[in-house]
Amino acid sequence: MQFLVISSRRTEHFTDEEFQSLVAEEGKQARVLYGMNFARQIWHRADVPGACQIVEAKDMAEARE
């Protein structure tokens, strides 16, 4: 089953510098999830900082995990 995951940065709690320090690691993890056939497609959002992705999971619980 495929799920649309829409995320946004919690800019009210974290600084741009804190987000920037995680970009490289987040990219690595995205490639791992793509290699596992969990993340099918990933897009950057144009409206706010964040991403949208299509993930493959057996149910909502697995998608959230």
Side-chain angles (χ1 to χ4, degrees):
M1 184 178 289
Q2 294 186 334
F3 296 88
L4 173 63
V5 179
I6 301 172
S7 63
S8 61
R9 290 182 177 179
R10 297 178 60 195
T11 56
E12 68 279 5
H13 296 287
F14 302 98
T15 66
D16 288 340
E17 292 78 20
E18 289 172 305
F19 284 115
Q20 190 59 36
S21 71
L22 300 172
V23 168
E25 191 60 36
E26 187 176 72
K28 280 194 236 177
Q29 184 62 25
R31 287 186 288 283
V32 167
L33 294 174
Y34 186 80
M36 295 170 53
N37 291 321
F38 177 76
R40 297 297 189 138
Q41 297 180 25
I42 303 171
W43 305 278
H44 292 283
R45 292 180 62 170
D47 58 340
V48 297
C52 296
Q53 59 181 312
I54 300 290
V55 300
E56 187 80 33
K58 66 180 178 183
D59 55 26
M60 180 69 79
E62 184 178 63
R64 287 180 184 269
E65 182 184 320

